[in-house]
Amino acid sequence: MDITVLGSLNMDLVTRVQTLPKVGETVSGISFETTPGGKGANQAVAARRLGASVSMVGQVGDDIYGVELLKSLRSEDVYVENILTSEGMQTGVAIIGIEDSGLNSITAVYGANMVETPAFEESLRQSVVGADVLLLQNEIPHRYNLIAAKLAKESNTVVIWDPAPANEQSIELADIVTFITPNEHELAPFIGDFDVDVDNVELILNMVSRLDDSFSATPVITLGEKGVAFVDKGKPKLHKAAPVDVVDTVAAGDAFTGALAVGISEGLELSEAIRFANLAGSICVQRHGAQIAMPTRSEVDEQLLGPQ
Ligand code: RIB
């Protein structure tokens, strides 16, 4: 099970508040901490903790955050030799506010993640070939995702693209990759701008079918507490999620996508891989943080199979 993740590394600067401030308002926070994040690195840690062998391809700046992020990934046993340090650049940061209700707001400044150099392009070309599964998101230059997806496709690698954050310019990838995993808020670039009512099962199933007809990738849409809508052997399906106490939804999508990659690389049927991934996401939302909230294999297996 070799998984390559091409994507972002950010230091998350997280404030917890009772209620997120409105524009022009100042509120007094409850706590502040810096924790490793970035959608790419989060997915790498998710997949590694679930038992895959994981290589991360990305870029950090030559600052203390870059050093800390690499150290943290190394401690998780993720292969980091294909992460380049960009001289004179800042490491990506995400300024995250989380309120008591669990709602959050994120401002990301991508810094080194967005640097384009021949050296990085060469490094990613070398690293994507040969993996069982390649994971992509939307926090690095789109051009690099495109190069990696095309190379992976040529070598029959399964490509899972988490189109987050939503980006109109990137949808051509949906005709190259194997699976796309948007959440309900990231659908607009694919289906047009309308409110998705996650309570309307019929509408959700219609939409997932429409997505399947419009692009060659198989859609797997995460709907938070409502579950996951997907197309299996041509049929739209809804995997219902069991209710849990949500404390923090940051990186829940990353837990899901990293786990989906593990399930697929282990040869699970799509519906089984989604069940596995959904459990990983639901454990993640019951904890604070991004990488630190990713579940281990035994935690997910315990939910799947009961105590061993
Ligand atoms: O998906 C969660 C991640 O998005 C955070 O860790 C933050 O870095 C942002 O990129």
Side-chain angles (χ1 to χ4, degrees), residues 8-12 35-40 42-43 92-96 106 108 110 139 162 164-165 249-254 289-291:
S8 57
L9 300 96
N10 297 328
M11 187 56 86
D12 290 350
T35 61
K39 294 183 193 302
N42 296 346
Q43 292 177 16
V93 291
I95 295 122
I96 303 180
I106 303 183
Y110 292 123
E139 293 192 312
D162 179 14
T249 59
V250 171
D254 300 329
Q291 286 165 42

Side-chain angles (χ1 to χ4, degrees), residues 40 59 68 154 161 204 226 244:
Q59 300 182 93
E68 284 177 16
E154 281 164 19
W161 174 40
I204 294 286
K226 297 292 168 197
V244 293

Side-chain angles (χ1 to χ4, degrees), residues 27-233:
V27 295
S28 168
I30 299 163
S31 68
F32 170 75
E33 61 182 340
T34 53
T35 61
K39 294 183 193 302
N42 296 346
Q43 292 177 16
V45 170
R48 179 68 199 111
R49 286 193 183 178
L50 293 171
S53 157
V54 180
S55 167
M56 167 99 206
V57 187
Q59 300 182 93
V60 292
D62 59 350
D63 53 16
I64 187 65
Y65 288 158
V67 173
E68 284 177 16
L69 291 177
L70 286 176
K71 191 171 152 204
S72 166
L73 277 187
R74 265 195 207 100
S75 74
E76 295 282 348
D77 202 21
V78 170
Y79 185 76
V80 296
E81 300 313 312
N82 295 315
I83 300 174
L84 301 193
T85 299
S86 194
E87 267 178 48
M89 287 302 298
Q90 287 179 341
T91 296
V93 291
I95 295 122
I96 303 180
I98 303 173
E99 64 174 32
D100 280 352
S101 68
L103 289 177
N104 65 61
S105 73
I106 303 183
T107 305
V109 181
Y110 292 123
N113 291 298
M114 286 293 170
V115 170
E116 299 194 32
T117 63
F120 185 64
E121 185 170 328
E122 186 49 33
S123 164
L124 84 86
R125 282 180 185 277
Q126 303 281 336
S127 358
V128 297
V129 177
D132 296 326
V133 180
L134 171 68
L135 281 175
L136 305 172
Q137 319 76 34
N138 274 352
E139 293 192 312
I140 63 165
H142 169 58
R143 196 169 77 77
Y144 287 154
N145 275 346
L146 212 50
I147 292 172
K150 285 180 180 164
L151 277 173
K153 192 177 182 186
E154 281 164 19
S155 60
N156 290 325
T157 294
V158 171
V159 185
I160 303 177
W161 174 40
D162 179 14
N167 175 353
E168 295 275 334
Q169 272 81 54
S170 63
I171 61 166
E172 64 187 309
L173 271 172
D175 277 325
I176 303 172
V177 303
T178 325
F179 297 99
I180 49 173
T181 60
N183 67 25
E184 74 266 32
H185 308 294
E186 292 153 357
L187 287 169
F190 303 99
I191 58 169
D193 217 352
F194 65 84
D195 272 346
V196 177
D197 176 2
V198 291
D199 290 316
N200 187 335
V201 175
E202 201 181 329
L203 182 123
I204 294 286
L205 293 179
N206 273 336
M207 194 187 52
V208 78
S209 286
R210 234 176 83 194
L211 210 57
D212 190 49
D213 292 342
S214 308
F215 301 98
S216 66
T218 297
V220 176
I221 304 173
T222 57
L223 304 164
E225 60 187 15
K226 297 292 168 197
V228 183
F230 63 108
V231 171
D232 196 15
K233 301 182 187 101

